[in-house]
Every structure is written in structure tokens, then in C-alpha cells.
């Protein structure tokens, strides 16, 4: 096993795909930076910024990243037509697969360290308060361990698709859905402990300082153990010691011409697969840029009425979906033409009674930011709905 692991680590040097993992870790931090541009009253500190990076890693980025890389590493032996030579040495496919999975665990630790480093660098550039040696150390520990636990959570998907020739593309799609499901599981404390993706958060004590967040570490551990055991079942029950199509390919490899044709077909499939993934990734990135840029936003104006304030209840969720907002207002608001609409927005504190507020509202996202304005700054169509404050 040691030789297998050592060999696989050496192979990583020639896999340029590893750089895509580094870029995906950077993407997670960039998405979090985009969200900081929304001036919606959220108080950004370094610990809160790190929490949001972890949330993006868990629900969107890392499951896809590690499933893609692990599947690629496993599939290379078949694509390079080296599997039949490896199996002639007394090395079972099961042992080879375990060696590759162990290397992928080391790779997840490396990507976690990269993500933590990008997070610290981004915070230095943005200048968020709350930076200390203890908070930086905690960020590195939490992000690195969360990536390792996420890898264990996604391992059943990797092991299952390893049984299928070129199944890593399918595994990447399944991992995305599986990871994004953590967003919904996080809304319920019990389900968050059971669901492996969110259980990884419990093992790093994610947001444990919040009195409404209660992790059952024992259940989280059992969830991780169940994911690992399921992966072991998939590995040990791999039929014929190798993917079915790989075994068939060994029989045909006696004819060099046929083997070359199959290799060309496989390369075409790989190019098509990566092109599809690339188009989806670019489309997703463009959507995120639009979603976070505030395009198509409009101004609405309202007046604060503290009789309509409500304290936000976390509902037992383990992921903060309210951006640190403690209060919520639902008030009648008017656009520049005087059209009325009830709008809900959050605030970190109780606002001044009677204050005139301008809301920046975007389709889908809702309120991006708010700011206090004077009566003279209101559009003429809106001024008719309000009276001039006494102090003006």
C-alpha cells in the first residue's frame, strides 16, 4: 500500500487537472467577496468572512471539486491504457483503488490549506476587522478539516462511479446535487447532524458560538462512519477487480490498430465531457456575477415603522442564511413612479423611528442594500405619500 500511495503522489505532478482544484478554491473565496459588496447592513469581520467561505465550500464548490479530481485520478489508468500492466504486478484493483482514495484524502487536505490561504489573503486585501493569530489558526484548522470530512462524505459517490468506465463525469454531477442538498439539510438541526455533507460542519464546530446552533457530534461521527463504510462496500464489491469496460478493453488490446481507435474515441469523449463541464461552469459563473452584481436593480422608498419590526428566528438552522441580521422589517415601499409594494429587508439593529429609507431591490435576490435619505431626495411621486419630518 505504501508503494502505491508513493507512486500515486508522484503521478500528481503530471496531472494539470490539479490546478483546476486550486482555481475552484479561489472561486469559492471570490464568490464570498462578491457577496460582501451588498451593502445590506451586514457587519463583515474576518471570522464571519471565513464562515461564508466554508459555507460556499460545503454547499457548492468542494464536493464538485474533489469528485472531479478523484474521478479523474482513478480514470487515468484506463484512459492511458496502463491498468492492464499494473494488474500484471501482484496488485489487486481493490488495493489500487484504496491507494488512490488515500491520496485523494491527502489532496483534500492540500486544497483545504489552499482555500484557507486564499481566505486570509482576501481578508488582508479587504481589511475586515477581527484578525488575530488565534482566528487565523482557527480558520486554517476549520477549513482544512472541513475539506477532509467533506471528502469522506463524497467518497461513496466517488467509489460508486469508479465502478463505471469514465464515470467520473457522472460522479461530478451527482456530487454537485449531493453537496447543494446540504443547503436544505442545514435548515433542520437533526437533519444537519445526519446528512453527511452538513455533518462535516458539526465535526469542526461550525458556528457553535451561536446559542441556537446545537451539534450532536456523536451522530455526526456516525454519519461520517456510515459514508466511509458505504465507500468500502463499493470498493470491495467492484466486479472483476476493474471496471467492466476496462476488462473488455484488455481482450481487444492484442490488436494495436483497434486499441488506437478506442483511445481516440475515449479522448473525444473526454474532450466533449470537459467542454460540457466548462460551459456549465462558465454559465454558472456568469449567473453568479449577475446575481451578485446588482444588475437590473431598482430603488424603492419607505419609512421606518418600528411597530412592524420582527426578531429573526434561526429556526434551528446551522448555516446563517440571514447574513448576521437580527431583525426584519416588512414595510410598504414605493418606486420612483409611486407604485406600492410590500418589501421585507433585514437589519442588524432597530432603526430610527420615522427615518426615510432608500432600498436597492433586485429580482430574485431581494434587497441588496439600504440607506437613509432626506425628504428632499425622494422622487416627486414618492413625496406625496410622506410628510416633511418636523426636524427639517
Amino acid at each position: 500500500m505504501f508503494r502505491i500511495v508513493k507512486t500515486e503522489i508522484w503521478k500528481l505532478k503530471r496531472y494539470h487537472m490539479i490546478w483546476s482544484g486550486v482555481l475552484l478554491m479561489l472561486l469559492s473565496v471570490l464568490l464570498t467577496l462578491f457577496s460582501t459588496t451588498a451593502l445590506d447592513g451586514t457587519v463583515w469581520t474576518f471570522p464571519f468572512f471565513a464562515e461564508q467561505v466554508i459555507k460556499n465550500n460545503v454547499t457548492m464548490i468542494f464536493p464538485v471539486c474533489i469528485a472531479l479530481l478523484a474521478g479523474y485520478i482513478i480514470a487515468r489508468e484506463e484512459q492511458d491504457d496502463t491498468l492492464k500492466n499494473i494488474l500484471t504486478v501482484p496488485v489487486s484493483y481493490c488495493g489500487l483503488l484504496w491507494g488512490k482514495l488515500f491520496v485523494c484524502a491527502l489532496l483534500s487536505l492540500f486544497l483545504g490549506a489552499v482555500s484557507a490561504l486564499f481566505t486570509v489573503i482576501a481578508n488582508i486585501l479587504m481589511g475586515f476587522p477581527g484578525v488575530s493569530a488565534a482566528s487565523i489558526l482557527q480558520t486554517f484548522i476549520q477549513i482544512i478539516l472541513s475539506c477532509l470530512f467533506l471528502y469522506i462524505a463524497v467518497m461513496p459517490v466517488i467509489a460508486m462511479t469508479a465502478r463505471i468506465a469514465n464515470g467520473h463525469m457522472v460522479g461530478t454531477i451527482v456530487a454537485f446535487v449531493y453537496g447543494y442538498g446540504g443547503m436544505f439539510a442545514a435548515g433542520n438541526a437533526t437533519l444537519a447532524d445526519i446528512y453527511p455533507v452538513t455533518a462535516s460542519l458539526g465535526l469542526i464546530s461550525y458556528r457553535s458560538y451561536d446559542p441556537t446552533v446545537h451539534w450532536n457530534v456523536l451522530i455526526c461521527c456516525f454519519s461520517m462512519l456510515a459514508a466511509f463504510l458505504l465507500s468500502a462496500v463499493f470498493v470491495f464489491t467492484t466486479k472483476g477487480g476493474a471496471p467492466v469496460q476496462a476488462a473488455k478493453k484488455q481482450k481487444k488490446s492484442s490488436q494495436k490498430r483497434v486499441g488506437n481507435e478506442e483511445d481516440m474515441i475515449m479522448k473525444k469523449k473526454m474532450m466533449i465531457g470537459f467542454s460540457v463541464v466548462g460551459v456549465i461552469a462558465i454559465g454558472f459563473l456568469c449567473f453568479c456575477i449577475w446575481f451578485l452584481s446588482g444588475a437590473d436593480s431598482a430603488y424603492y422608498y419607505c419609512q421606518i415603522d418600528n411597530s412592524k419590526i420582527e426578531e429573526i428566528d434561526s429556526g434551528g438552522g446551522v448555516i446563517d442564511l440571514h447574513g448576521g441580521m437580527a431583525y426584519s422589517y416588512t414595510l410598504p415601499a414605493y418606486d420612483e413612479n409611486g407604485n406600492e409594494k410590500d418589501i421585507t429587508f433585514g437589519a442588524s439593529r432597530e432603526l430610527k423611528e420615522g427615518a426615510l429609507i432608500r432600498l436597492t431591490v433586485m429580482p430574485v435576490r431581494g434587497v441588496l442594500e439600504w440607506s437613509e435619505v432626506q425628504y428632499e431626495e425622494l422622487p416627486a411621486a414618492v413625496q406625496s405619500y410622506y410628510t416633511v419630518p418636523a426636524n427639517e
Side-chain angles (χ1 to χ4, degrees), residues 51-346:
E51 283 181 6
Q52 301 309 302
V53 172
I54 293 174
K55 182 190 74 173
N56 287 333
N57 278 345
V58 170
T59 58
M60 289 191 296
I61 303 298
F62 194 77
V64 174
C65 174
I66 197 62
L68 177 63
L69 294 178
Y72 177 83
I73 291 171
I74 293 171
R76 288 308 302 174
E77 306 301 346
E78 181 187 350
Q79 294 162 5
D80 294 340
D81 201 24
T82 57
L83 182 58
K84 64 179 183 295
N85 296 326
I86 293 175
L87 296 180
T88 58
V89 183
V91 175
S92 66
Y93 181 73
C94 178
L96 178 65
L97 192 54
W98 275 122
K100 289 179 177 291
L101 290 174
F102 182 79
V103 170
C104 291
L106 299 179
L107 181 60
S108 67
L109 294 174
F110 166 74
L111 293 176
V114 170
S115 179
L117 180 61
F118 283 148
T119 301
V120 173
I121 293 174
N123 188 82
I124 293 174
L125 295 176
M126 298 299 294
F128 295 134
V131 181
S132 64
S135 62
I136 292 176
L137 179 61
Q138 178 179 337
T139 296
F140 268 87
I141 292 175
Q142 285 192 319
I143 294 181
I144 292 174
L145 289 181
S146 69
C147 288
L148 176 61
F149 295 139
L150 274 173
Y151 168 68
I152 296 175
V154 179
M155 194 186 297
V157 176
I158 299 171
M160 179 183 65
T161 53
R163 299 157 62 98
I164 308 170
N166 298 318
H168 56 289
M169 291 301 177
V170 177
T172 302
I173 298 173
V174 173
F176 173 76
V177 177
Y178 179 45
Y180 196 74
M183 183 71 74
F184 302 97
N188 181 278
T190 302
L191 186 58
D193 290 330
I194 298 173
Y195 197 67
V197 170
T198 48
S200 65
L201 295 175
L203 294 177
I204 63 170
S205 300
Y206 182 75
R207 297 188 66 241
S208 292
Y209 61 84
D210 191 331
T212 63
V213 176
H214 303 284
W215 292 105
N216 190 320
V217 178
L218 184 60
I219 295 179
C220 293
C221 290
F222 276 120
S223 178
M224 289 290 105
L225 180 61
F228 180 81
L229 292 178
L230 183 59
S231 305
V233 170
F234 285 134
V235 173
F236 286 126
T237 58
T238 301
K239 294 182 179 179
V244 176
Q245 292 186 16
K248 291 181 178 179
K249 187 175 179 181
Q250 292 180 27
K251 297 179 181 179
K252 297 180 180 180
S253 61
S254 57
Q255 298 181 2
K256 185 176 180 180
R257 182 177 59 83
V258 176
N260 290 336
E261 290 178 356
E262 289 184 351
D263 189 52
M264 289 298 296
I265 293 174
M266 187 175 297
K267 288 182 179 179
K268 289 181 180 179
K269 289 182 179 179
M270 286 290 298
M271 291 179 63
I272 294 173
F274 283 119
S275 298
V276 171
V277 172
V279 170
I280 294 175
I282 292 173
F284 177 71
L285 180 60
C286 291
F287 170 77
C288 290
I289 292 174
W290 170 83
F291 187 74
L292 297 170
S293 66
D296 301 326
S297 59
Y299 289 140
Y300 279 80
Y301 301 85
C302 67
Q303 189 170 34
I304 295 300
D305 180 358
N306 283 322
S307 67
K308 298 182 179 180
I309 191 174
E310 294 181 2
E311 190 169 355
I312 295 177
D313 183 8
S314 66
V318 297
I319 292 181
D320 182 10
L321 301 178
H322 304 289
M325 302 298 182
Y327 301 97
S328 172
Y329 285 92
T330 300
L331 302 170
Y334 303 89
D335 65 11
E336 295 180 346
N337 298 319
N339 299 314
E340 184 178 354
K341 179 181 180 181
D342 286 342
I343 295 180
T344 300
F345 64 97

